[in-house]
Amino acid sequence: MKVMFVITCMPVGGAETLLVALIRGMDRSRFEPELCCLKYLGPLGETLAAEIPTFTGLLAHKYDFAVLGRLTRLMRQRQIEAVVTVGTGGDKMFWGRLAGWRAGVPVICSALHSTGLPDHVEWPNRLLSPITDAFIAVARSHGQYLIDHEGCPAAKVRVVPNGVDTERFRPQVPDSALRRELGIPPGVPVAGIVAALRPEKNHSLFLAAAQCTLKQRPDAHFLIVGDGPQRARIEALRSELGLDDVVHLAGTRQDIPALLAVMDVFVLTSHMEANPVSILEALACERPVVATAVGSVPETVIDGKTGCLVKPGDAQAIADRLVELFGDREKAAALGRAGRRHVVEHWSLNRMITGYEDLLEEIYQAKTLRSRQAASLLRSPGPNSSPSPSPGVFCR
């Protein structure tokens, strides 16, 4: 089955990282994945361009309606049999599905990776629900959110949980050279966050929690991994709070497992989340997690078992949990071990890949079966008619 994944572009982010892992992991004896970045490739798109057929530059601007013709022709030329738009709302979800329908693609799905603003399913995208075979949620509670708040028909919402490579993300000894590179002194406790520097990740709360933590643990250091549009604002707030010496901004990195090993506790301070891959990666590396109880986070961070949950916006509660885990290494280690077991059992990369493969095949088989049945009815002679040749019905 030739599967085209349609996305706007491929910067370094959670959904994009998952897409790379999914494409690389799909069984090539059953699937031929292709990538279409409507605007430009981005760093991860450029990586995939060396591995699979990749297309870009189809959408010149927001009101470039000619993209429909370009994308339709591309899908026909490539003989695409399944389209999966990646991301919640926007151009990729609209044009990807509409072009798939016009091109006669048998399977049309939308994979939604976020919950609430800034991403949501706008009314034009809701209008295309009848031509969509499945809306793919990344966790059980996320699926319910799509039904209750995003207008996705319940019968078409399917859950394929996010997953991580538990071989790549596994416990390892912290690298002292890496600590020196980051400017973190030996022996001090470290709390870290891995997240794009965007408003919904709420790094200002992370900085406020750092300030509160230092009142009880003045030796603590804090690590921010990621980049994005909020970087200048975060740097300014760091200076305003007097945290320049203890909060380290590492930018975009490829050595995430090694960076997680440097952290004693992983923190996520988001306003909203669907199923953040960064938490799964931290748990797989046996890092205890302190996170805001938003979206589907409570499905992975089980309070008191794999980590600690706090109310959104509560900097002091985050600080209290950090001080507790810094001081009780046995408890922190126990939470980390339980977290890895939980990820291996329920949130592995193999489970995610198999979920997508099975879903696409299930929809394809069901729709082609209906096509064959319809063709059979058309060929069947009526009670008062004699058999006559009929044109064949083509099904990919």
Side-chain angles (χ1 to χ4, degrees):
M1 187 188 303
K2 297 188 74 171
V3 184
M4 178 172 283
F5 294 91
V6 180
I7 193 169
T8 303
C9 57
M10 290 283 284
V12 178
E16 294 80 12
T17 300
L18 284 173
L19 180 55
V20 171
L22 171 60
I23 287 173
R24 286 175 169 168
M26 294 184 85
D27 183 351
R28 291 302 194 270
S29 70
R30 298 160 57 200
F31 298 92
E32 296 178 26
E34 302 190 359
L35 175 67
C36 178
C37 295
L38 292 182
K39 291 185 177 179
Y40 55 91
L41 290 179
L44 296 182
E46 291 172 0
T47 298
L48 284 176
E51 304 174 19
I52 63 169
T54 304
F55 308 90
T56 190
L58 283 83
L59 180 66
H61 52 79
K62 184 175 181 62
Y63 301 105
D64 181 12
F65 299 115
V67 65
L68 179 58
R70 299 183 195 111
L71 194 51
T72 302
R73 287 192 295 274
L74 176 64
M75 291 180 182
R76 286 174 177 160
Q77 291 167 1
R78 302 299 300 174
Q79 299 183 339
I80 298 302
E81 295 162 297
V83 168
V84 181
T85 65
V86 182
T88 303
D91 296 326
K92 69 278 183 180
M93 188 176 178
F94 185 80
W95 297 120
R97 289 182 296 158
L98 192 56
W101 176 72
R102 287 191 69 211
V105 175
V107 180
I108 300 175
C109 300
S110 283
L112 294 84
H113 286 269
S114 56
T115 302
L117 296 173
D119 301 320
H120 65 100
V121 182
E122 315 91 340
W123 70 265
N125 273 308
R126 296 187 183 197
L127 292 177
L128 297 186
S129 291
I131 68 171
T132 309
D133 296 302
F135 296 92
I136 305 172
V138 296
R140 178 188 52 78
S141 58
H142 182 227
Q144 192 61 49
Y145 183 92
L146 297 182
I147 296 168
D148 295 341
H149 301 285
E150 297 289 9
C152 299
K156 293 187 175 184
V157 172
R158 305 292 291 271
V159 176
V160 179
N162 283 348
V164 296
D165 184 346
T166 55
E167 290 303 309
R168 181 184 177 216
F169 290 92
R170 59 185 306 115
Q172 59 179 271
V173 177
D175 185 344
S176 57
L178 179 58
R179 286 179 72 106
R180 289 194 299 272
E181 175 194 332
L182 297 168
I184 300 173
V188 302
V190 180
I193 180 173
V194 179
L197 308 186
R198 298 196 303 262
E200 66 271 20
K201 301 299 182 179
N202 200 8
H203 287 80
S204 59
L205 178 61
F206 180 81
L207 294 176
Q211 188 179 44
C212 293
T213 302
L214 290 168
K215 294 176 182 177
Q216 299 180 68
R217 288 299 301 258
D219 59 335
H221 278 244
F222 305 86
L223 180 59
I224 297 175
V225 181
D227 214 331
Q230 293 269 296
R231 186 180 182 97
R233 182 178 180 275
I234 292 167
E235 289 177 337
L237 181 58
R238 177 182 63 172
S239 297
E240 181 183 328
L241 296 176
L243 301 174
D244 286 333
D245 293 336
V246 295
V247 175
H248 311 272
L249 274 69
T252 299
R253 305 276 298 220
Q254 300 300 319
D255 54 344
I256 301 299
L259 290 165
L260 288 168
V262 169
M263 303 175 193
D264 296 289
V265 183
F266 181 84
V267 182
L268 197 65
T269 50
S270 301
H271 289 302
M272 57 194 67
E273 285 287 356
N275 186 1
V277 66
S278 61
I279 281 182
L280 300 178
E281 291 171 349
L283 292 174
C285 291
E286 293 191 358
R287 298 298 88 188
V289 174
V290 176
T292 47
V294 296
S296 64
V297 170
E299 293 185 42
T300 51
V301 182
I302 303 172
D303 196 34
K305 293 184 178 180
T306 65
C308 304
L309 294 174
V310 301
K311 292 180 180 179
D314 194 337
Q316 187 59 57
I318 295 172
D320 290 342
R321 299 290 80 76
L322 290 178
V323 171
E324 177 187 1
L325 294 175
F326 287 162
D328 191 343
R329 295 304 177 102
E330 288 188 8
K331 179 176 181 178
L335 292 174
R337 290 191 297 269
R340 177 169 174 82
R341 288 195 299 270
H342 186 56
V343 169
V344 169
E345 291 174 9
H346 302 287
W347 309 93
S348 70
L349 179 61
N350 286 339
R351 182 176 179 182
M352 182 188 80
I353 293 170
T354 300
Y356 269 90
E357 292 176 336
D358 291 349
L359 176 62
L360 295 176
E361 283 195 334
E362 174 193 327
I363 295 171
Y364 182 83
Q365 295 295 340
K367 293 185 77 171
T368 52
L369 175 61
R370 288 197 296 270
S371 296
R372 288 194 296 270
Q373 291 172 337
S376 176
L377 288 173
L378 288 172
R379 289 194 296 268
S380 298
N384 299 316
S385 61
S386 58
S388 59
S390 62
V393 176
F394 172 73
C395 298
R396 289 199 191 99

